[in-house]
Amino acid sequence: MGAAGGDDDAPWWRKGVLYQIYPLSFADSNGDGYGDIRGIVEHLDHLQWLGVDGIWLSPITVSPNADWGYDVADYCAVQPEMGTLADLDVLVAAAAERGIKVLLDFVPNHTSEEHPWFVESRSALDSPKRDWYIWADPKPDGAPPNNWVSSFGGPAWKRDATTGQSYMFNHLSSQPDLNWWNDDVRATFDEIVRFWFDRGIAGFRIDVCNLIVKDKELRDNPDATEADGPEEQAFGQRMVYNGNRPEVHDVIRGWRAIADAYPEPRILIGETPVDDGEALARFYGDDDELNLAFNFPFITAEFAVGPLRTIVEEIEAHLPPGGWPAWTGSNHDMFRFASRWAGGDDRKIRAALVMLLTLRGTPVLFQGDEIGMVDVVVPHELMRDPLGVRYMPHYAGRDAGRTPMQWRDAPGAGFTDAGVTPWLPIGDAAARNVDAQRADPDSVLALTRDLIALRRATPDLHSGAYESLAGPETVWTFRRGAATVVVLNLSDDDATVDITGTVVFAPDRDRVGGALTAPVALRPWDALVLAT
Ligand code: GLC
């Protein structure tokens, strides 16, 4: 790849835009209030029109839904309420006809307690599957085997009556963690990976990728210190031994080797909630681990130049040669950027979309981002996320970002039939919906679509290098490739920048085509893409 210029031969997922579908809330084709695979098929035209290249589906595999699909009870079968394997084949084929690849969620850290492996494992000390999970004796006084705490709060161990031993879990106690030191576990997951890749699945998003391997000796985590972040303070310890182990990289390398061996290489995207760019870059290995790793500090950063630019520069500095960032503002755990970054303000939402779609890296939009969907306040009695149910009023859980897609202003919002109670309440579909925004050339949806098209048509944008440019404190100015410059005024104040060029994109459409000469005046939350 030319370091400065663009590269038309870059792989599809570098040049393209990915889109996360949360199937339960995308489209309900059979009127039961829950989204399903057929519903996705019925809305592929929207995704093609929007211009996305790949969709990542949150879990569609069999699950008792303690954690809405992230508690898997069968890795190679489709949840009956979502459809069948045949439906998934239809989706893959219909998506392919529209130039869209399908990626699945892959949850190798833990299973459901209802998975037959765990049922067998817990049945006896000498069960052939005993060592597939992490079992240990409680302390003589009955205390848990060590001090590990679960990411969802409380001890990471549960004593099991059948044998008196405890099993380990990093999330809900109904999600026992697998033992990745066991070779049969590894071999079985290799088969699962091949099962889906052979079916035409283009890649995986790997759930809690950084947690998979635990300390073999089950050592206690060190206590948090004042120097640690808020999460460590809240848990009282640093997650050194129940995740973030260096041995996880061998596991990822193994999957990457499988993915690369396909004639059309499959891709691996990690859920990698680590603190800094250096730790994140390690998940790319020597370009032999993840293809893309989600940047959580970016998602949680304040929507301001300083914090965001620092994070971008940091990952740019640490990525191995060939490494490629991923940029996302919303997902089913972290809520919606239209609320978090933009407080529902349309100018800020537009500026955020320009940022996400012009940085060097693969943008991953979450369903609804394209219309600026905001978080929805879900009352306690309607909550579905076990975390909200458990922790209200201290924590409202993750339902606010998981509410149904707003397709049109009608009962059911085009998500489900009129008269059907959707599994989660629907937000303000009159304020934001796909149909109305499609009819409006000045909508957020039109902006998203045009930006995706511009990115595709402009090698500088889809594969050119990133370089921060000097400018006022509240304005983020960066160059992409040889001749494209992006200017983002992330503030409520006017500003001026010393830049000269032709506007190729701006949320204020009447500016497009204009030739600008320094000094250029910017209004609050202005965003410009310039050819220089
Ligand atoms: C990941 C998923 C989240 C789930 C957790 C446990 O963080 O994104 O939704 O609750 O893993 O599986």
Side-chain angles (χ1 to χ4, degrees):
M1 184 197 334
D7 173 11
D8 267 327
D9 297 328
W12 72 271
W13 50 271
R14 289 190 178 217
K15 284 193 286 188
V17 172
L18 301 179
Y19 182 101
Q20 179 191 357
I21 289 182
Y22 191 68
L24 285 162
S25 282
F26 194 63
D28 168 20
S29 74
N30 62 356
D32 65 359
Y34 294 81
D36 46 52
I37 295 172
R38 287 268 159 191
I40 302 172
V41 175
E42 288 169 9
H43 288 81
L44 283 172
D45 287 343
H46 167 72
L47 300 172
Q48 181 183 22
W49 175 86
L50 186 60
V52 305
D53 300 84
I55 51 180
W56 143 41
L57 314 184
S58 278
I60 48 132
T61 38
V62 174
S63 166
N65 281 337
D67 192 21
W68 298 105
Y70 287 96
D71 48 324
V72 179
D74 184 341
Y75 285 90
C76 295
V78 170
Q79 175 83 335
E81 293 83 42
M82 286 228 187
T84 61
L85 264 182
D87 291 333
L88 187 69
D89 291 341
V90 169
L91 172 63
V92 171
E97 280 169 22
R98 292 166 174 81
I100 297 171
K101 315 235 192 234
V102 179
L103 288 79
L104 295 184
D105 217 306
F106 179 55
V107 189
N109 177 69
H110 50 269
T111 69
S112 161
E113 64 179 343
E114 293 183 21
H115 196 296
W117 302 336
F118 187 69
V119 173
E120 189 178 342
S121 184
R122 86 193 313 181
S123 67
L125 287 172
D126 61 356
S127 148
K129 294 262 179 339
R130 187 68 172 181
D131 187 51
W132 280 42
Y133 293 84
I134 303 163
W135 291 97
D137 290 323
K139 295 260 167 66
D141 65 358
N146 67 20
N147 75 347
W148 297 353
V149 291
S150 147
S151 306
F152 287 174
W157 296 93
K158 183 169 175 186
R159 191 168 187 163
D160 199 44
T162 313
T163 61
Q165 279 199 316
S166 301
Y167 65 87
M168 187 263 156
F169 57 92
N170 261 327
H171 298 89
L172 300 173
S173 64
S174 55
Q175 294 169 298
D177 279 32
L178 285 155
N179 174 17
W180 277 88
W181 292 100
N182 181 296
D183 287 338
D184 293 336
V185 167
R186 293 188 182 215
T188 300
F189 273 89
D190 284 356
E191 282 167 31
I192 293 167
V193 166
R194 290 197 178 93
F195 172 83
W196 290 112
F197 288 171
D198 289 348
R199 268 199 121 81
I201 294 302
F204 287 125
R205 174 267 192 186
I206 306 172
D207 194 61
V208 289
C209 201
N210 57 319
L211 299 189
I212 295 164
V213 181
K214 319 304 182 281
D215 182 45
K216 211 172 187 172
E217 296 163 37
L218 307 181
R219 281 171 282 188
D220 276 343
N221 277 330
D223 291 341
T225 67
E226 278 172 17
D228 288 316
E231 203 155 305
E232 286 83 2
Q233 305 284 347
F235 288 126
Q237 59 181 239
R238 281 167 43 220
M239 196 192 243
V240 171
Y241 293 119
N242 58 327
N244 299 318
R245 302 307 302 155
E247 297 89 355
V248 75
H249 297 284
D250 296 335
V251 177
I252 301 171
R253 267 194 295 275
W255 293 330
R256 174 69 180 265
I258 296 174
D260 277 352
Y262 281 78
E264 275 186 77
R266 308 312 201 225
I267 63 163
L268 304 177
I269 309 176
E271 185 197 15
T272 38
V274 294
D275 291 340
D276 56 66
E278 193 177 354
L280 189 61
R282 252 178 259 139
F283 282 89
Y284 289 81
D286 194 9
D287 196 15
D288 58 356
E289 296 189 36
L290 298 177
N291 301 94
L292 294 169
F294 282 120
N295 192 317
F296 280 75
F298 181 81
I299 300 175
T300 54
E302 189 194 336
F303 192 44
V305 178
L308 290 167
R309 187 174 53 201
T310 304
I311 290 163
V312 168
E313 288 174 351
E314 199 184 25
I315 190 67
E316 286 283 347
H318 285 106
L319 278 180
W324 192 249
W327 302 114
T328 197
S330 317
N331 67 36
H332 66 292
D333 294 326
M334 306 301 290
F335 309 99
R336 295 186 172 280
F337 77 74
S339 291
R340 186 177 358 85
W341 283 338
D345 178 333
D346 236 65
R347 282 187 71 78
K348 297 184 192 175
I349 292 172
R350 288 165 195 254
L353 283 163
V354 174
M355 171 185 77
L356 285 167
L357 289 159
T358 59
L359 281 169
R360 185 184 87 103
T362 299
V364 187
L365 298 176
F366 181 48
Q367 66 184 44
D369 279 353
E370 71 271 38
I371 54 169
M373 258 178 78
V374 293
D375 293 334
V376 176
V377 178
V378 176
H380 196 184
E381 66 277 12
L382 297 182
M383 281 180 184
R384 298 302 201 122
D385 177 22
L387 299 186
V389 172
R390 187 196 290 182
Y391 291 118
M392 252 325 252
H394 307 290
Y395 176 60
R398 300 166 290 181
D399 290 322
R402 297 178 176 181
T403 62
M405 185 69 185
Q406 296 164 195
W407 295 102
R408 55 181 163 272
D409 180 18
F415 164 72
T416 190
D417 299 338
V420 172
T421 305
W423 80 294
L424 273 174
I426 298 172
D428 186 354
R432 294 181 189 277
N433 70 74
V434 171
D435 277 8
Q437 294 199 18
R438 253 187 99 142
D440 174 5
D442 201 31
S443 63
V444 171
L445 179 59
L447 170 138
T448 308
R449 179 176 189 245
D450 291 349
L451 269 171
I452 291 175
L454 177 72
R455 189 179 182 281
R456 184 189 310 284
T458 314
D460 272 355
L461 283 179
H462 66 61
S463 43
Y466 167 93
E467 184 194 349
S468 297
L469 299 179
E473 223 173 275
T474 59
V475 182
W476 187 3
T477 310
F478 56 87
R479 191 193 315 280
R480 290 296 318 284
T484 301
V485 168
V486 179
V487 181
L488 302 166
N489 180 14
L490 303 187
S491 88
D492 290 325
D493 299 319
D494 292 333
T496 35
V497 282
D498 280 327
I499 212 87
T500 295
T502 306
V503 180
V504 290
F505 188 85
D508 298 324
R509 301 303 185 106
D510 48 6
R511 297 182 85 156
V512 175
L516 302 180
T517 37
V520 172
L522 299 173
R523 288 180 299 155
W525 306 99
D526 256 352
L528 299 170
V529 183
L530 303 173
T532 60

